[in-house]
Amino acid sequence: MNNISNIFKEKNLKLTPQRYAIYKFLKSVKTHPSAEMIYAEISKDYPTMSLATVYKTLKTLIELGLVQELNVGEDNFRYDANVAIHPHIVCLNCGKVDDIENANFDNLKTDVLNYTDYDVLSYKLYFYGICSECKKGR
Amino acid sequence: MNNISNIFKEKNLKLTPQRYAIYKFLKSVKTHPSAEMIYAEISKDYPTMSLATVYKTLKTLIELGLVQELNVGEDNFRYDANVAIHPHIVCLNCGKVDDIENANFDNLKTDVLNYTDYDVLSYKLYFYGICSECKKGR
DNA sequence: CTATTAACAAATAATAATTACAAATTAGGA
DNA sequence: TCCTAATTTGTAATTATTATTTGTTAATAG
């Protein structure tokens, strides 16, 4: 069984309420929040939560491979508990970040081998455009 | 004629030596430097250059569509005077950022239309791996 | 059951990248 | 050459993130 509880145990890390809350929140949400947004949300249930804890927990979760970091071009990072490589799309109007679901772009990793002498390990793909809500309101 | 000089004139912007130096430097280089790196380099020729000027000039150049901003996952931005959409590859070992040249991934923009209801305007594609120099030194 | 100890959370200080501001300077047209 | 708005510069301020410190928690040995 490879749930969080076990992953933490294997690494001698404690699955504290704070850590669990952050992970559970990230899992439950599709908005790809920033550290600040996570902090604001979790603070409702854990009034003593510190922003430093959010940052430190996110770093741990990333090291454990439970969370990935997105950099869509803002001055901060966003976080995604879906660690599968998948494209994202950013609304240039409202800033929303969505998943591109069901699309498979994994051929990119092999295609690119013809154009580089790097060993290619992974990739990030971001699309930019206008979301349907913003299209309406124009 | 659509050189920088004219583009600036059209917008009532002054083509100062500083601005020109920054643009020329970015054009001449394939390293995708950060603001700090640009500042360090340009300072050699313009000892009075201020870091604030570098940042402000980069912003102007971006607005004019002469430069694009990259965000490969560092805590700072990198800049590229090649404004054509093209993929980049980052060495996870030494941090170098290279262009992927001659590859055409523009079908991505139309492919993705089947998986989103956004109007898709552009995309950014970053590969991550190990460069050939770093492979040798292992 | 208690003492020990390592991991942790919280608060706050520190750092790094970027931006804002105010005063001095300069580009480029009249 | 002169004028003026735009620009540069130095510095202060801001923002995101990380480090440090101190008190707390939880697992475990005795």
Side-chain angles (χ1 to χ4, degrees):
Chain A
M1 196 166 63
N2 229 18
N3 54 19
I4 331 166
S5 162
N6 285 51
I7 295 174
F8 271 74
K9 210 170 284 173
E10 274 170 28
K11 304 274 178 181
N12 264 14
L13 296 170
K14 291 176 186 166
L15 186 52
T16 62
Q18 291 89 337
R19 285 175 169 178
Y20 186 63
I22 289 172
Y23 182 68
K24 201 170 49 143
F25 171 64
L26 262 182
K27 263 293 187 194
S28 76
V29 114
K30 286 198 171 291
T31 55
H32 311 92
S34 66
E36 198 70 52
M37 292 155 92
I38 295 168
Y39 174 64
E41 198 54 40
I42 305 272
S43 291
K44 294 177 189 167
D45 289 329
Y46 294 80
T48 77
M49 171 72 68
S50 158
L51 184 54
T53 303
V54 174
Y55 276 109
K56 220 158 2 138
T57 299
L58 287 169
K59 214 162 144 188
T60 327
L61 291 171
I62 289 168
E63 277 164 17
L64 293 176
L66 292 171
V67 162
Q68 67 170 312
E69 205 172 49
L70 309 182
N71 38 289
V72 299
E74 298 166 323
D75 50 1
N76 57 35
F77 292 102
R78 286 169 175 264
Y79 300 89
D80 190 343
N82 174 3
V83 289
I85 295 182
H86 63 286
H88 294 87
I89 187 157
V90 183
C91 178
L92 294 168
N93 190 240
C94 67
K96 182 172 57 175
V97 179
D98 274 325
D99 292 308
I100 303 280
E101 288 180 283
N102 304 317
N104 188 336
F105 288 103
D106 281 348
N107 59 309
L108 285 173
K109 242 172 85 180
T110 49
D111 286 357
V112 76
L113 291 175
N114 303 314
Y115 303 98
T116 183
D117 52 5
Y118 279 58
D119 281 351
V120 179
L121 299 172
S122 73
Y123 68 90
K124 287 186 180 171
L125 176 55
Y126 301 108
F127 291 96
Y128 298 85
I130 306 293
C131 73
S132 48
E133 284 84 46
C134 286
K135 274 191 276 185
K136 282 179 211 154
R138 283 275 171 99
Chain B
M1 195 165 64
N2 229 18
N3 53 18
I4 329 166
S5 162
N6 285 53
I7 294 174
F8 272 73
K9 211 170 283 173
E10 277 169 26
K11 304 273 177 180
N12 263 14
L13 295 171
K14 292 177 183 168
L15 187 52
T16 63
Q18 292 90 334
R19 284 174 168 177
Y20 187 64
I22 290 171
Y23 182 68
K24 201 171 48 143
F25 172 64
L26 261 183
K27 264 292 190 196
S28 76
V29 113
K30 285 196 172 290
T31 55
H32 312 91
S34 66
E36 199 69 53
M37 292 154 92
I38 296 169
Y39 173 64
E41 198 54 41
I42 306 271
S43 291
K44 294 177 187 167
D45 289 330
Y46 295 79
T48 78
M49 171 72 69
S50 158
L51 185 54
T53 304
V54 174
Y55 276 108
K56 212 138 31 117
T57 298
L58 287 170
K59 216 163 144 187
T60 336
L61 291 171
I62 289 168
E63 276 165 16
L64 293 175
L66 293 170
V67 162
Q68 67 170 313
E69 205 171 49
L70 309 182
N71 188 344
V72 300
E74 298 166 323
D75 51 2
N76 56 36
F77 290 101
R78 287 168 173 265
Y79 299 89
D80 190 343
N82 175 3
V83 289
I85 296 181
H86 62 285
H88 294 87
I89 187 157
V90 182
C91 178
L92 295 169
N93 189 241
C94 67
K96 183 171 57 175
V97 178
D98 274 325
D99 291 308
I100 302 280
E101 287 180 284
N102 305 316
N104 188 335
F105 288 103
D106 279 348
N107 59 308
L108 285 173
K109 241 172 84 181
T110 48
D111 286 357
V112 77
L113 291 176
N114 303 315
Y115 302 98
T116 183
D117 52 4
Y118 278 59
D119 281 351
V120 179
L121 298 172
S122 72
Y123 69 91
K124 287 187 179 168
L125 177 54
Y126 301 111
F127 291 96
Y128 298 85
I130 307 292
C131 73
S132 48
E133 285 83 46
C134 285
K135 274 191 279 185
K136 281 179 213 153
R138 284 278 172 100

